[in-house]
Amino acid sequence: MSISLSNTTVTMNRYVDGKPVTDTEKLQVFRLDNETMTYAMAVTQEGYLLHVYYGARCGEDDLTYLLRLSDSPYTPRILKREKGTFMDARPFEFPCHGIGDYREPCFMIMDEDGMSACDLRFVASRVEKGKPALRQKGVSCIPATFAGEEDADTLVLVMEDAHAGLTVELTYTIFKKLSVLTRSARVINHGEADVRLQRVLSACVDFEDSAYDMITLNGSWARERLLERAPLHHGKQSVDSVKGESSHQSNPFVALVSHNANEEIGEAFGFNLVYSGNFFAQAEVTQHKHTRFVMGINPYDFSWLLRTEEEFTAPEVVMVYSGSGIGKMSRTFHDLYRNHLIRGEWKDKQRPILINNWEATYFQFDTEKLIEIAKQASELGVEMFVLDDGWFGHRDSDNSSLGDWFVYEKKLKGGLPYLVSEVNKLGMKFGIWFEPEMISPDSKLYAEHPEWAIQIIGREMTQSREQYVLDYSNVEVRDYVYKMMRDILDSANIEYIKWDMNRQLTEVGSTSLPRKRQRELWHRYVLGVYDLMNRLTTDYPYLLLENCSGGGARFDPAMLYFSPQIWTSDDTDAIERLKIQYGTSLCYPASAMGAHVSDCPNHVLGRTTPFATRGNVALVGTFGYELDVTRIPQEDREAIPGQIAKFHRFNPLMRKGDQYRLGNLFEDNSFDAWMFVSKDKTEALFTFVQVLGRPNYPSRNIKLRGLAPNKRYRVEETGQVATGKTLMEAGIFVSLYGDFASQTLYLSEVTGE
Ligand code: DGJ
């Protein structure tokens, strides 16, 4: 792996006033290489930072010919070139608004004179070993991937807008063993005047052509992260969120893939923003059929006042390159996130199998009922009991008490200490639900501090699920909520928190921010959430934190920085989950996906599926139960110990192994299949789910993936022995009877026979 800096001279032959002229231009070149990828940039004599190349590892050649510097009909002479034309045709690393590049910019300001143009020129560079943490004065924590000196190198390019007095540091980290580059930008006001940042995106890549499909993950509540793939076309195609969270509807993930790309072949460029608020990601096919891809905080309704010596840091974009298909791109994301994003005591550990009372009781429970569920679950092998919504204030439905984080004693007789100790006596851990960012109009907190809700004074406040959002830009609010949470956490042996967030932001105004900083609230809110999560995970390092947002509305890398697992979706129907978990796996590891077996008919959909299939689908993720174990059919109850044993046996393989998607319900909705293969390729677990049965010739041939071609494997369930090559080239047959039926097959290497 290397970061190299060099100088080169480009010769340009062109015609000026009809006569041939030869010019030369000196360029400074920056190159980041590892075994699989190369990323190259160049600085022109005027200080423009141009993008040269991003893709498969290249030879040690001068790549600046790719800039085609003489290739512009309206370019007269070097340094007197037709700047407007130059700006609109060249590939830029961090394009500025207002100086002739009419494509989507990364950077736009408003200066004291009301001017919005800006012009960043290169001034210096530095190389650092490892990966520095993202920082911003006054901000306690900015989530990002991390790496030691042995794993990554970082290049910082310092740009300057002399007119506005701004410095922008562009940071590029290349990972040694993973095909990963991360980028972010930090703006510092060294000038004397205030500047308003109107947009600071995190990264831009100007691709040489537009022959790509764009893959995005879109959906809705109970249908999160469903994959869509479409060829790029002229103009702009984007995904974003303006809801204050990464959202059910879009995910801050985009992949640009070659038209021929599938799981195994073709190029894939994956982009994922480490951010939990309003984001923006866009591919723009330009007049020259180049593609500009940009990603960062959504500029929509964003404005940030930067006074002298203040700084602003844009979140990190993770960029993954794969020359071996979409599957390899996903596995690279998984390895990166498992090793260089997720932190804490639970990072590499098997998570406790939990039972959550939400779908079992909703708000209708008391201590006795909860203990009854916990008792029966513990007898079947469940390891943790999670008390969901409804234990605090006077909450009997979703219309009150958010913000009143003290125990609803009438409902929970004996309070938490009693309940938790009873659960612990059963040999189970205890976990609890909070929704710390919210406030109900019907709460003590709102009666005392109505000004703590996000609002625009004088305007009607929109209620959603009969609740408002707390102003997390205000540290007083965060301190107060955190104190209540601490009191609860310190009152009993609580080892897990489900941190929920059930509504989007409206009337975005703060009673504590000055007028000039109101538009900062969207981002300050997110930074406030990070601050509290950071405090919580620092003060209670043993806590297992599971994120949730009305299901999976905040399934993003920034949340993974704080919580090793996220509730994937409120849709627990095994068949719907196939698509949701498939889409989620595009960039997020299975080890992070909250997945539970629930009762049937399914509470979202009304569908009934076999208990075994519900188990096989949930097995992929963190695994648990979301049902009233005291009421489910006896045969389902009897199946639980077997499912639990299966989880114990195979979770290490799935948590740490490589995932291969073998089916694709978005293309063929009759079945799904996937595999997890251990890193040393000695074992694998194959899962097949038959969505629709096939009459009259029911068996299907599935080609396995990821095995070692020359190793021989035994399929435990059938006794078949074959080489990896055969299993991957000729496939195996699966034959099941009935809709929604499923099967797992365990393969292990045969040695010494
Ligand atoms: C939404 C979550 O996704 C559910 O699992 C549950 O915790 C409810 N909120 C509780 O209100």
Side-chain angles (χ1 to χ4, degrees):
M1 177 184 59
S2 71
I3 293 182
S4 63
L5 283 54
S6 60
N7 294 309
T8 190
T9 303
V10 182
T11 305
M12 292 175 286
N13 299 313
R14 48 192 171 197
Y15 285 87
V16 176
D17 300 333
K19 295 191 190 110
V21 174
T22 299
D23 281 323
T24 56
E25 172 148 12
K26 290 196 167 64
L27 298 171
Q28 281 184 70
V29 182
F30 298 94
R31 220 179 123 147
L32 301 97
D33 296 276
N34 63 20
E35 268 176 29
T36 49
M37 54 160 279
T38 295
Y39 193 93
M41 298 165 271
V43 177
T44 68
Q45 279 173 232
E46 305 105 312
Y48 294 120
L49 178 62
L50 303 182
H51 175 76
V52 175
Y53 175 81
Y54 175 36
R57 170 72 197 242
C58 287
E60 309 290 324
D61 305 293
D62 182 351
L63 298 174
T64 54
Y65 67 94
L66 293 168
L67 290 171
R68 293 183 292 177
L69 279 177
S70 53
D71 190 6
S72 175
Y74 301 110
T75 305
R77 298 196 57 130
I78 179 70
L79 302 183
K80 285 190 202 137
R81 57 183 145 220
E82 179 70 49
K83 193 177 145 201
T85 308
F86 178 83
M87 298 305 283
D88 206 32
R90 297 304 139 197
F92 280 93
E93 277 298 307
F94 201 70
C96 293
H97 158 80
I99 51 170
D101 180 349
Y102 296 100
R103 296 160 293 178
E104 194 76 27
C106 277
F107 197 51
M108 180 171 166
I109 63 171
M110 179 70 69
D111 67 22
E112 283 210 314
D113 299 324
M115 302 302 164
S116 60
C118 45
D119 187 355
L120 290 169
R121 309 282 181 108
F122 173 82
V123 284
S125 70
R126 62 177 190 271
V127 173
E128 295 180 24
K129 287 252 154 255
K131 184 171 190 294
L134 298 196
R135 64 197 157 85
Q136 177 180 323
K137 266 183 241 156
V139 173
S140 64
C141 174
I142 303 178
T145 56
F146 54 83
E149 292 192 1
E150 63 293 349
D151 292 321
D153 282 333
T154 297
L155 171 69
V156 181
L157 300 178
V158 184
M159 312 288 293
E160 190 182 64
D161 181 328
H163 182 82
L166 294 175
T167 299
V168 178
E169 292 188 352
L170 303 177
T171 301
Y172 298 78
T173 297
I174 183 160
F175 281 71
K176 198 183 260 179
K177 299 211 183 87
L178 293 167
S179 195
V180 174
L181 184 80
T182 62
R183 292 181 55 178
S184 66
R186 179 159 156 255
V187 189
I188 306 150
N189 184 355
H190 288 308
E192 276 161 21
D194 292 353
V195 176
R196 222 164 235 297
L197 303 176
Q198 297 295 85
R199 67 159 69 200
V200 188
L201 300 189
S202 300
C204 167
V205 179
D206 276 344
F207 288 91
E208 169 62 34
D209 64 34
S210 58
Y212 297 108
D213 290 348
M214 180 164 165
I215 294 178
T216 53
L217 302 175
N218 314 302
S220 183
W221 174 75
R223 297 193 263 118
E224 296 91 338
R225 290 171 300 288
L226 303 186
L227 182 143
E228 276 183 40
R229 177 173 177 167
L232 292 183
H233 55 80
H234 256 290
K236 299 176 174 184
Q237 38 252 275
S238 63
V239 286
D240 74 348
S241 165
V242 292
K243 298 177 173 231
E245 60 172 359
S246 34
S247 87
H248 293 101
Q249 289 72 17
S250 306
N251 192 265
F253 166 81
V254 169
L256 297 182
V257 305
S258 51
H259 294 315
N260 69 337
N262 61 24
E263 286 295 302
E264 301 298 313
I265 60 155
E267 287 198 298
F269 297 86
F271 300 88
N272 204 189
L273 186 68
V274 188
Y275 192 57
S276 308
N278 290 349
F279 74 91
F280 173 66
Q282 180 178 276
E284 172 184 8
V285 177
T286 71
Q287 57 177 329
H288 302 299
K289 286 217 152 211
H290 302 155
T291 301
R292 169 164 291 180
F293 180 80
V294 294
M295 191 175 231
I297 292 179
N298 200 334
Y300 177 85
D301 202 21
F302 169 88
S303 175
W304 191 280
L305 178 64
L306 208 64
R307 297 197 190 275
T308 303
E309 294 312 322
E310 284 183 351
E311 58 189 33
F312 178 87
T313 299
E316 175 168 290
V317 172
V318 173
M319 296 167 41
V320 169
Y321 170 74
S322 162
S324 322
I326 300 164
K328 178 68 184 158
M329 175 199 74
S330 297
R331 289 186 289 281
T332 304
F333 271 115
H334 300 169
D335 283 341
L336 180 77
Y337 290 171
R338 288 185 295 200
N339 298 313
H340 298 279
L341 178 68
I342 293 170
R343 306 166 305 152
E345 287 192 11
W346 288 97
K347 178 174 183 277
D348 301 316
K349 281 198 205 151
Q350 186 168 311
R351 319 286 158 68
I353 298 167
L354 65 83
I355 186 157
N356 177 304
N357 74 310
W358 178 241
E359 286 190 36
T361 64
Y362 295 104
F363 295 100
Q364 277 64 59
F365 57 82
D366 56 22
T367 306
E368 212 179 307
K369 176 71 198 168
L370 299 178
I371 293 175
E372 199 188 328
I373 293 176
K375 186 164 179 303
Q376 290 209 17
S378 75
E379 284 162 7
L380 298 169
V382 176
E383 299 158 335
M384 178 160 74
F385 177 79
V386 175
L387 173 55
D388 210 280
D389 195 353
W391 57 267
F392 50 92
H394 58 277
R395 190 151 162 107
D396 286 314
S397 80
D398 56 12
N399 65 1
S400 83
S401 305
L402 294 167
D404 293 347
W405 299 111
F406 36 81
V407 176
Y408 188 0
E409 298 275 353
K410 260 194 349 213
K411 197 168 178 180
L412 276 192
K413 297 240 161 45
L416 278 179
Y418 173 70
L419 176 64
V420 177
S421 80
E422 287 304 297
V423 168
N424 286 167
K425 273 189 219 155
L426 297 168
M428 292 175 108
K429 294 177 187 297
F430 182 89
I432 201 162
W433 179 98
F434 279 99
E435 195 175 359
E437 297 154 69
M438 297 295 150
I439 179 165
S440 303
D442 177 7
S443 65
K444 265 182 74 176
L445 186 66
Y446 192 71
E448 282 161 23
H449 289 290
E451 78 285 7
W452 281 0
I454 285 181
Q455 60 192 277
I456 298 172
I457 291 168
R459 280 196 190 279
E460 186 187 347
M461 291 162 72
T462 301
Q463 285 189 24
S464 176
R465 212 189 186 210
E466 300 196 49
Q467 63 199 56
Y468 302 132
V469 183
L470 282 167
D471 177 3
Y472 261 38
S473 73
N474 182 350
V475 67
E476 221 189 317
V477 175
R478 302 199 301 268
D479 287 349
Y480 195 91
V481 172
Y482 189 46
K483 163 87 177 59
M484 287 188 279
M485 290 177 80
R486 291 201 69 146
D487 287 347
I488 292 292
L489 290 175
D490 295 342
S491 74
N493 182 25
I494 296 171
E495 298 179 76
Y496 159 108
I497 283 188
K498 179 174 172 187
W499 179 310
D500 205 347
M501 195 281 195
N502 280 304
R503 65 156 287 182
Q504 295 79 36
L505 277 54
T506 54
E507 295 86 35
V508 175
S510 163
T511 59
S512 67
L513 285 175
R515 195 170 57 86
K516 284 187 168 181
R517 292 200 180 274
Q518 285 294 333
R519 300 319 334 121
E520 297 172 17
L521 181 54
W522 290 106
H523 184 53
R524 285 187 183 276
Y525 173 79
V526 177
L527 294 177
V529 173
Y530 295 159
D531 174 56
L532 208 59
M533 286 188 181
N534 192 40
R535 288 199 229 175
L536 186 68
T537 50
T538 308
D539 294 344
Y540 298 88
Y542 58 85
L543 258 188
L544 173 57
L545 183 61
E546 173 153 353
N547 251 281
C548 173
S549 180
R554 223 160 43 179
F555 209 122
D556 61 57
M559 287 293 116
L560 282 183
Y561 183 75
F562 300 103
S563 61
Q565 59 194 59
I566 301 177
W567 183 229
T568 312
S569 176
D570 276 346
D571 196 335
T572 50
D573 172 71
I575 302 305
E576 288 301 298
R577 272 293 181 120
L578 296 175
K579 282 198 225 153
I580 295 169
Q581 292 179 187
Y582 183 106
T584 305
S585 77
L586 262 269
C587 58
Y588 305 108
S591 62
M593 289 188 214
H596 299 166
V597 176
S598 65
D599 201 6
C600 278
N602 179 266
H603 82 144
V604 168
L605 212 60
R607 181 184 283 148
T608 296
T609 52
F611 197 71
T613 296
R614 284 176 258 158
N616 286 337
V617 174
L619 201 64
V620 169
T622 57
F623 200 70
Y625 293 87
E626 185 108 7
L627 40 72
D628 186 348
V629 69
T630 67
R631 288 210 200 145
I632 57 172
Q634 181 61 17
E635 55 174 320
D636 291 357
R637 203 175 3 255
E638 282 167 10
I640 289 178
Q643 287 184 340
I644 286 179
K646 202 166 174 181
F647 174 78
H648 282 301
R649 181 171 179 205
F650 296 124
N651 182 256
L653 170 56
M654 291 190 284
R655 213 174 65 251
K656 301 185 214 156
D658 288 328
Q659 184 172 2
Y660 292 82
R661 293 177 291 258
L662 309 180
N664 181 350
L665 280 178
F666 299 96
E667 286 170 7
D668 175 353
N669 68 3
S670 69
F671 80 96
D672 199 1
W674 59 87
M675 279 175 81
F676 285 87
V677 182
S678 63
K679 289 280 179 192
D680 64 4
K681 298 194 182 289
T682 57
E683 55 171 350
L685 187 74
F686 164 80
T687 306
F688 175 82
V689 181
Q690 172 164 280
V691 176
L692 296 174
R694 277 217 304 201
N696 189 20
Y697 219 57
S699 55
R700 283 185 176 86
N701 180 279
I702 311 281
K703 291 181 177 167
L704 303 190
R705 294 280 170 250
L707 301 172
N710 298 327
K711 284 193 195 301
R712 292 195 314 136
Y713 296 90
R714 170 175 288 113
V715 183
E716 187 174 271
E717 291 75 3
T718 63
Q720 184 184 359
V721 174
T723 57
K725 195 164 175 51
T726 297
L727 294 167
M728 293 193 289
E729 297 299 345
I732 57 165
F733 283 98
V734 278
S735 180
L736 296 177
Y737 181 73
D739 296 346
F740 312 140
S742 68
Q743 183 179 23
T744 56
L745 297 175
Y746 174 65
L747 288 81
S748 58
E749 186 187 0
V750 181
T751 49
E753 281 173 34

